[in-house]
Amino acid sequence: MSEKSRISTVQSNVNLTTLTNPGVDHTRSYSMLGFQETTLSIAAKTMRNALNNLVAEADEQDRKAFKLEMDNFYHLFTRYLSEKAKGEKLNWSKIKSPAPDQIKVYKDLPKCADNVKAEFLNKLAVLKLNGGLGTTMGCVGPKSAIEVRDGMTFLDLTVRQIEYLNSENNVNVPLILMNSFNTDEDTQKIIQKYTGHQVQILTFNQSRFPRVFKESLLPMPKNPKDENGKWYPPGHGDLFESLANSGLLDQLIEQGKEYLFISNVDNLGGSVDTRILQHMFTTGSEFAMEVTDKTKADIKGGTIIDYEGKVRLLEIAQVPSEHTDDFKSIKKFKIFNTNNLWVSTRAIKRLVEEQALNMEIIVNVKSTESGEKVIQLETAVGAAIKYFKGAHGINVPRSRFLPVKSTSDLFLITSDLYGLHHGELIMNPKREFNSTPLVKLGDHFKKVNGFLSRFASPPHILELDHLTVTGDVTFGAEVVLRGTVIIVANHGSRIDIPAGAILDDKVVTGNLRILDH
């Protein structure tokens, strides 16, 4: 679509929806409607001019790729303007629980016979979303470089999994990393250490879009080389276009790779499953989303719904405020999206070429250091489910969703609750319950370095149900936690749990110091 036609499309949409949208108060003066149309039309044209100026400033060797990126951003921006003009919200009354054929149950899928595993695996590529930084856990650089278990990082464990998969089945499943401009340089250095391993590592970058001032609707950067703080990676929904634009998608198709298995690099449960892979081939489905049963820890997670007869992903950002409690209800929405996705490569190519992937826009408002409001327009990869043929969810065991978003998660995966098998975390068979304990660690544990300094060794938690720790608390070696344990050190107090202590359904408060001598 040309720049001119994109502008006219937005203007046309604004005119149409403003005048014919049911529910509009027609007592409003048409001068107000005309003002809104004119404002959005001017915003589109002004943005186009600003982006053209940015492209003109790009180095000649980078200009073509940069222009394509800015065109993609402009398309997203004009969609945002159009949707803003419509003022449409999700019709809550049309939301239904998914029909039985829209959610398959993992245990009902046939196991994959050993003699056909290699055939299926040779048609697969694994893609990890590797665009995030470790800043929220107090780390510098890519989150995938954080050590999480036995001295191994997220990336180490991923490479180990794929290498074992390839060697055991005599196949070539490549590992693809979707980096962002925040993580690419460091990741390129890190992956050098995997040279000589039996795994092909490919990388590409997701887009770099300009942040937009909320009031003026103008881009922050004035030059393509402006500092990173003026740009943003537009969410993992950008995956499909970025993969196609990089040339990697065509390369995968030429190599006979028919499916991608996509997951977050920090989900240690997101490993290749041949039972699901076989299911994709036997059903011919173009898209499957792994979902799992929701617990109280997952109330904000996106869920699959039936909307006007089609399967869709519903994110909390799309939910009208008056229905937020409904969305968080475990009774009404019983499953949530793990972001483990199985997607047809040829279907991606078709939909990108048709420019059909117009996923719901998530408007993320941020503040600059000077206090100015800026917006980031983002999309989620799972929201593409409604565009693929035969798309459905697969309700998988909780073990396939082991994300590490905080040190509370890190506490679980470094404990005796799990063992490590060729890079894959396996729950300890001595754990009597399939569910994981609910763990809430306070601010003293928020950063990785602070967290590590407070444990002489990981506590034994095979019989733990719930742990809450707040305040200045440390743990000696070989501590055992069982049942529900709550430890609260009030401001100015400190609690040292002594080595070898057994806390079974205990509440510990006050001040307890263990002094070396």
Side-chain angles (χ1 to χ4, degrees):
M1 188 183 290
S2 70
E3 294 165 13
K4 186 176 288 185
S5 64
R6 277 186 177 152
I7 293 174
S8 64
T9 299
V10 174
Q11 289 174 280
S12 171
N13 286 344
V14 172
N15 287 328
L16 178 67
T17 55
T18 306
L19 296 176
T20 62
N21 189 16
V24 168
D25 180 2
H26 293 289
T27 61
R28 290 175 62 195
S29 70
Y30 281 100
S31 61
M32 174 61 80
L33 301 177
F35 173 78
Q36 185 182 30
E37 294 168 23
T38 305
T39 302
L40 295 176
S41 175
I42 291 172
K45 289 178 180 177
T46 307
M47 176 60 78
R48 182 70 271 178
N49 290 335
L51 296 177
N52 287 344
N53 292 337
L54 276 172
V55 171
E57 294 288 330
D59 293 338
E60 191 172 341
Q61 68 270 23
D62 302 326
R63 191 169 297 152
K64 185 178 179 181
F66 183 69
K67 182 181 185 304
L68 180 60
E69 206 164 52
M70 293 304 97
D71 285 348
N72 287 340
F73 170 74
Y74 181 70
H75 181 54
L76 184 66
F77 180 74
T78 53
R79 277 211 301 124
Y80 162 70
L81 292 181
S82 178
E83 290 176 15
K84 191 177 180 183
K86 292 176 186 176
E88 290 179 351
K89 290 185 178 180
L90 208 66
N91 188 332
W92 196 257
S93 65
K94 292 183 179 180
I95 292 176
K96 298 178 182 176
S97 298
D101 65 323
Q102 293 173 332
I103 302 285
K104 310 295 182 187
V105 179
Y106 176 83
K107 65 181 177 60
D108 293 340
L109 306 182
K111 288 185 178 179
C112 187
D114 290 340
N115 62 340
V116 294
K117 279 184 182 179
E119 178 188 350
F120 290 140
L121 287 169
N122 273 322
K123 297 175 181 177
L124 177 71
V126 171
L127 193 156
K128 293 287 183 178
L129 305 174
N130 186 48
L133 294 169
T135 48
T136 56
M137 294 174 68
C139 297
V140 177
K143 187 175 182 181
S144 57
I146 297 175
E147 286 189 10
V148 288
R149 178 83 192 210
D150 299 350
M152 300 179 77
T153 66
F154 288 109
L155 208 48
D156 292 336
L157 293 171
T158 298
V159 170
R160 182 73 190 96
Q161 285 178 21
I162 305 298
E163 185 177 37
Y164 179 70
L165 183 76
N166 285 336
S167 61
E168 275 294 288
N169 296 279
N170 193 27
V171 294
N172 177 27
V173 176
L175 170 63
I176 304 166
L177 301 174
M178 183 173 84
N179 301 330
S180 69
F181 63 87
N182 289 318
T183 63
D184 184 58
E185 187 177 345
D186 287 337
T187 300
Q188 296 301 336
K189 294 174 184 174
I190 292 167
I191 62 177
Q192 296 302 314
K193 71 178 181 178
Y194 304 121
T195 304
H197 288 248
Q198 193 181 333
V199 56
Q200 179 188 17
I201 301 178
L202 306 167
T203 68
F204 71 101
N205 274 17
Q206 66 181 121
S207 297
R208 185 184 69 144
F209 283 176
R211 284 178 159 176
V212 176
F213 289 111
K214 191 172 186 289
E215 292 304 317
S216 67
L217 292 181
L218 286 170
M220 282 188 76
K222 297 288 188 282
N223 188 288
K225 294 183 179 178
D226 276 0
E227 63 267 26
N228 284 351
K230 294 185 178 182
W231 307 85
Y232 73 98
H236 39 56
D238 176 62
L239 182 155
F240 303 114
E241 280 190 345
S242 292
L243 181 64
N245 293 340
S246 71
L248 259 182
L249 180 61
D250 285 335
Q251 182 182 324
L252 292 170
I253 291 171
E254 286 170 12
Q255 293 173 354
K257 305 301 181 185
E258 296 184 29
Y259 281 97
L260 284 179
F261 171 54
I262 302 165
S263 63
N264 298 338
V265 75
D266 65 0
N267 177 13
L268 295 175
S271 59
V272 172
D273 188 294
T274 53
R275 182 185 288 200
I276 299 177
L277 179 60
Q278 175 181 253
H279 167 77
M280 299 304 293
F281 279 102
T282 54
T283 60
S285 170
E286 292 182 346
F287 191 111
M289 173 186 289
E290 293 185 35
V291 296
T292 195
D293 293 343
K294 185 185 282 191
T295 69
K296 290 181 180 179
D298 316 305
I299 55 175
K300 293 184 179 180
T303 189
I304 284 184
I305 58 168
D306 179 302
Y307 194 79
E308 297 182 327
K310 292 193 73 173
V311 63
R312 281 179 60 167
L313 177 67
L314 177 65
E315 298 276 13
I316 193 166
Q318 300 166 250
V319 177
S321 56
E322 64 269 25
H323 294 292
T324 302
D325 289 341
D326 288 343
F327 178 82
K328 292 179 178 180
S329 167
I330 297 174
K331 292 179 180 178
K332 183 164 185 176
F333 297 105
K334 299 178 180 179
I335 55 172
F336 73 98
N337 171 29
T338 65
N339 223 35
N340 294 347
L341 309 171
W342 301 77
V343 191
S344 160
T345 54
R346 291 190 180 278
I348 294 171
K349 183 175 174 64
R350 182 188 77 241
L351 291 167
V352 169
E353 288 177 348
E354 293 173 354
Q355 294 187 327
L357 294 168
N358 295 318
M359 285 91 84
E360 290 80 5
I361 297 173
I362 301 164
V363 182
N364 197 347
V365 181
K366 302 277 188 178
S367 294
T368 65
E369 289 181 0
S370 62
E372 283 186 281
K373 297 288 186 184
V374 293
I375 59 174
Q376 299 179 177
L377 305 178
E378 303 173 7
T379 56
V381 64
I385 189 170
K386 63 183 178 181
Y387 296 107
F388 289 84
K389 297 174 184 175
H392 59 279
I394 301 175
N395 195 339
V396 298
R398 182 75 184 202
S399 58
R400 291 194 54 75
F401 184 66
L402 295 174
V404 182
K405 304 293 184 188
S406 66
T407 51
S408 295
D409 297 326
L410 195 59
F411 173 86
L412 291 171
I413 66 161
T414 54
S415 73
D416 59 349
L417 201 61
Y418 296 100
L420 202 56
H421 180 71
H422 301 293
E424 191 171 349
L425 286 181
I426 307 295
M427 185 171 279
N428 192 325
K430 294 179 182 177
R431 170 78 174 174
E432 293 183 3
F433 314 103
N434 288 327
S435 60
T436 55
L438 184 62
V439 175
K440 296 179 181 178
L441 301 179
D443 288 345
H444 285 73
F445 295 78
K446 193 173 182 180
K447 307 298 184 186
V448 171
N449 286 341
F451 167 85
L452 293 173
S453 69
R454 292 181 175 277
F455 295 95
S457 68
H460 299 286
I461 62 169
L462 284 178
E463 298 176 60
L464 180 68
D465 297 322
H466 181 129
L467 173 67
T468 295
V469 183
T470 59
D472 187 2
V473 179
T474 64
F475 292 79
E478 304 299 324
V479 170
V480 178
L481 304 175
R482 298 175 183 154
T484 295
V485 177
I486 299 172
I487 305 171
V488 179
N490 294 323
H491 182 69
S493 299
R494 174 171 159 175
I495 295 176
D496 296 332
I497 304 300
I502 299 174
L503 302 181
D504 190 342
D505 284 328
K506 289 289 187 291
V507 175
V508 182
T509 60
N511 198 46
L512 175 64
R513 298 295 304 271
I514 305 293
L515 301 176
D516 293 329
H517 64 279

